[in-house]
Each structure stands twice: as C-alpha cells, then as structure tokens.
Amino acid sequence: MEFLIALMVGALVAAAVYLMLARNVLRFLFGLLLISNAANLLIFASGGLTPESPPLIPEGAKLPPEGVANALPQALVLTAIVIGFGLFAFALVLIYRGYQTMGTLDSDEMRLAEPEDGH
Amino acid sequence: MTDLLLPLPILIAFATAILTFFFRKGPEGRWVSVAGSALMLVAGGMLLAEVLANGVQAAQMGNWPAPFGITLVADTLSAIMVVITAITALAVSVYAISDVTREMEAVGYHTLFHTLIAGVMGAFLTGDLFNLYVWFEVMLISSFGLLVMGGKRVQMDAGIKYVTLNLISTVLFLSGIGLLYGVTGTLNMADLHTAVQTADAGLITVIAMMFLVGFGVKAAVFPLFFWLPAAYHTPAFAVSAVFAGLLTKVGVYALLRMFTLVFTRDVGFTHGLLLWVAVATMVTGVLGAAAQTDFRRILSFHIVSQIGYMVLGLALYTPLALTGAVFYLVHHIIVKANLFLVSGVANRIAGGTNIDRIGGLYKGAPLLAFLFLIPAFSLAGFPPLSGFWAKFVLVKASLDLELWFVAFAALAVGLMTIYSMTKIWGRAFWAPHPGGTVPSLSSLPLSERVTLLVPIAFLASLTIVIGLFPEPFVQVAARAAAELLDPTAYLAAVLGGPS
C-alpha cells in the first residue's frame, strides 16, 4: 500500500514539474496544484497506513487499542488542503488579473516590473 | 504569567486587525493601527525583560503537555525578534498615516498589515514545526494582498512572480515536514532535537536540504532570490518597508532555528554548503545592485546581499559568528526598513524613484539627506554606526577560523555597498534635478511631514544608539547565540525536566 502511494506521489510530482516548466503561467499554476496535492499525499503516507482500524477509543477505556490509524497526519493534511485551496484561489484570480492588464500569459513577456534596459 | 505573555503579541496583532477592519471606511483605523503597534511593543518589551531575567520561557497552548500540544517558546533570539518586529510595525504604521491612500484603507490595508505582523510574530514564537508552517501561510497570504493592493499594472506582474515562487517554497517546506514526521514521529522542535539524534543521518540530511531550499526561497539566498528584486519596488512605500524589514528575515530566523536545533547531524556538509550559499548571496546581491537605477530596486538587491552576511554567521557556526548573525539581523531590519521609508519621501517630493530622473534633494531637503546618510552609511558599515559592528563581528569570526577568502568577500561586498549608496547620494541627492525644480519638504503639509519624518528619525536614532553603545546589544546577541548552540535550556523549558 505504501509502495503504491509512493509511486503515485512520484507520478504527481513528475507531472507537476513538467507543467511548472512551461512558460504559460496558467499551466504553471495547474502544476502547482498537482504538486501541493502530492505533498498532502506524502504527509498522509508518512504517518503510516493502517487500513480498517479507525482511531476510536472503546467505551470505558482511556486509550485506543494498539495499532489504530494515526489521526495526526490526517489533521495536518486537512489544514494543508484548506490553506492550499485559499492560496490557489488567490493565485488563479491574480493570474486572471495579470492576463487582463498585461494581455499575456507568457512569463517571458512579463517584463513590466523588470524592464529589459534595467530602468 | 508567561502563559499570557507569550501569546500576547500575536493576540494584540489579531485584535488590531479585527478592529481596523471595522474602521476601514473612516480615518480612525490608522490610529487604531498605531495604538495596536505601540501595545505590541510594550508586550514585546515585557517578554524580552522576562526572558533576560528568567531564561527561556515556554507556554503550552490549551494545556496540552509538550510534545503533544502546540508550544510557544521564547528564547533570547525569539524575544529580540518580537521586539524588533514591534518597533518596525510601530514606525511603519505611523508612516502609513500619510503614505497609504484612502482607497487602500477602504479595502483593508490596516487589517492585512496586522495579520502580516501576527504571522511574523507567530513564526518567531512557535515551538512546533507544523505551527511554523501555518504562521508562514498567515504571513504569506497577507503579503500577497498587500503586494497587489492598489492594482497598478506593474504590481500584477510583480505579484505573479512573488506568489508563484513563494508557493513553490511552501510546498517544499510542507513536504519536508511530512518526511520529518515520518522519520521521527514528532513535530515539536525541542522533541525533534532529541529524535533526530537516533534517526538515519543520511535521511535527515536529505530532509535538511528540502528545508534549506524552502527557507532559502523565503530568505532570498543565492540562487533562489529572483522573486525579491522583481517585486519589492512595486507596492506602496509603507508596504515595501515592512516587507524589506521583516519578511526575508523570517526565513533567516527559520534557518537559524532549524539548523541549530534540529539539523546538526552533519554540520560539515550542511553548514559547509551554507557557507558557499552565503558568499554567493553577498556577491550576487551587491553586483545586481550596481546595475540598477531605481532607488527601491537598488535597495532590494542590497537586501539579498545583506542576507548573505546573516547566513554567513549561521554557516560559520561558532559562538562569535552566531552573535554576529543575530546582531546583523537586528541592525539590518532597522536600517533597511528605514531606507525604504526614505525612498518614499524622496518619491513624494522629487516625483519619482528613478535616480536618473530625480535630483536636488540635498539642496532642497537637507534634513532628508541627513536622515538618508545615517542608514546608508550604516548599511555600508561605516563606524560608528550599527552596521560597522555587525560586519566587524562577522569578519572577525571568519578570520578566527582562518577563512581568508570569506573575510575578503565580506569586506569587498561592504566596499561595493558604499559604491551603490554613493550612487544614490550622487544622483538623487547631490546632482541638480533634471527637471530644473528644487524638491523641498515644505511642499508637504505639516501633518504629513511629521508622520513621514518622525518614524525615519526614530529608526535613524536607533541606528546611532546601537552604533555608539554596541556593548549591551552585543551581549544580548551573544546570549542568544549561546542558547542556539547549546539548546539545553530550550529543551528544559519546553519539555520540562531539570533546568
């Protein structure tokens, strides 16, 4: 199971890096979305995968039985997903505004803030 | 008492953010902002006094014992950083009264400013790695909003570069956290210090590299700094001053913390790499500045160059070098924020920031010229200003280790910094205005003159005080360095046990 998840993280990162190398910033953004999901998956897997053992404490007991799923990485992933979603939404709007003002999505042509003559 | 004192700076910042949101339509918001910053400075001062008197302080949030809950920790370094953040926030929020437009206030400038400060404070005070990530995000999303606020075309371009590159660093940082948790099973920084000692050294070094790149982007070190000079010259002057003063320094702080507390398994490799990164950062930053003609772009490249000095202190990893790094952090935040504030006044009275198209500032505004000279000479390292002592300590630390080349690079970069500063001085201040006008401070209404110049004079006087009486400041920095090198007190404060 861990092996499959690891492969999937690798595939996501590879696809993301390919997209992020494009000059088109919208493609870059999609790459960023993929790689942040790869990171979330990585955290999820690094907590250890324990199928069919939810972290529940039986009635009357103080501790959960041995070998239950680790709830902490899931809490971390949940936080990271929410933050990632907010950042992605902002970046998407920013790129749209950038396209409206500059009329291009090609990162090589975005020279407003850094003109080529250095002035 | 400390349970309240530790989260207080963060709470004040958030409370101010919420209050200013309600007052965003009227002029009251700016005064709430100034009052909030002043309160923060009081709280920060109390925290520093407590830490200096009673050693490292820690508070467990929600009464969950470490390492299970989130811990806030203030050692000497954290407390110093909180105070200096509050000083910068106070100076910038006074300056913002005249610099920030009503339109920006109406869309929530003060609110974003204080959430940014809350994020910075949180990053300095947290003792939990994932919590550090969350504070970074609080800081980042506020800075995104501030950077593009005003909506000029050039800001959109700068915003895209700043946002995309910072998001990559975030992903690397997050993946590093995930892997570190997988290896050690903990995220509490003090607990991590113990846990990594028994982990596979090679694996820890690989994870350390992910953190190095992630924090390296935030700190703007070579070769990851390109977002900084692309963005820092575009937002409002108050915004760029607080960015220049604080944001990259949070990256440096995170590097200092992680590479003294957690990633010390293979110091020869990690800190050896940091040494080359530091030298390359110093040199490329200062060379980049030499080619620029925009006031704020020159200053932006100098941020990069100065970050190199701070990383150098970490890389040398001796008590003296770390003292230098901490001292440099404090000096740099004051001086750099101040120079950006000066550039804002120059823009206001001379009508631009391109130093080829403005001039005559010395003739028309000698007071401003004097207030520019202090931070500019301090940046270049003239005695008796704060920058001289900061550079002196770092050069001495590298000479002690017989790293002649590094000491030479540090001195040569100082010389090149003088070149850039005299370039600004010569063209913007000394030469006559190409348009024939004589820019004068009296063209500003009295109230604006006061709110723009008082923060500049305040920060400049701090530079002079540190320069004339460096002894107590160096001693506090040395104490911070000693705590970084020997984290026994830090561990005891967080995890309990003998102190």
Side-chain angles (χ1 to χ4, degrees), chain A residues 14-105:
Chain A
V17 169
Y18 176 73
L19 280 173
M20 284 162 78
L21 290 174
R23 287 195 308 196
N24 184 317
V25 285
L26 198 62
R27 275 170 164 261
F28 174 92
L29 192 65
F30 290 146
L32 205 62
L33 187 67
L34 284 188
I35 206 170
S36 63
N37 281 324
N40 291 340
L41 209 54
L42 180 84
I43 299 176
F44 180 62
S46 67
L49 298 175
T50 42
E52 293 170 18
S53 44
L56 297 175
I57 303 173
E59 226 172 293
K62 290 226 160 133
L63 290 171
E66 283 289 307
V68 297
N70 186 349
L72 183 71
Q74 302 181 23
L76 301 185
V77 169
L78 200 58
T79 316
I81 288 175
V82 174
I83 293 176
F85 176 75
L87 293 178
F88 180 77
F90 179 87
L92 192 60
V93 173
L94 179 70
I95 284 174
Y96 179 63
R97 278 293 303 276
Y99 177 67
Q100 281 183 323
T101 50
M102 289 182 282
T104 179
L105 283 175

Side-chain angles (χ1 to χ4, degrees), chain B residues 139-151:
Chain B
M139 192 175 87
L140 210 56
I141 194 79
S142 317
S143 72
F144 289 171
L146 288 171
L147 182 65
V148 298
M149 194 175 267

Side-chain angles (χ1 to χ4, degrees), chain B residues 81-106:
Chain B
M81 295 311 287
V82 166
V83 171
I84 203 76
T85 303
I87 288 175
T88 316
L90 182 60
V92 172
S93 50
V94 172
Y95 187 87
I97 294 174
S98 296
D99 184 60
V100 171
T101 60
R102 289 304 296 269
E103 291 77 30
M104 281 174 73
E105 285 188 322

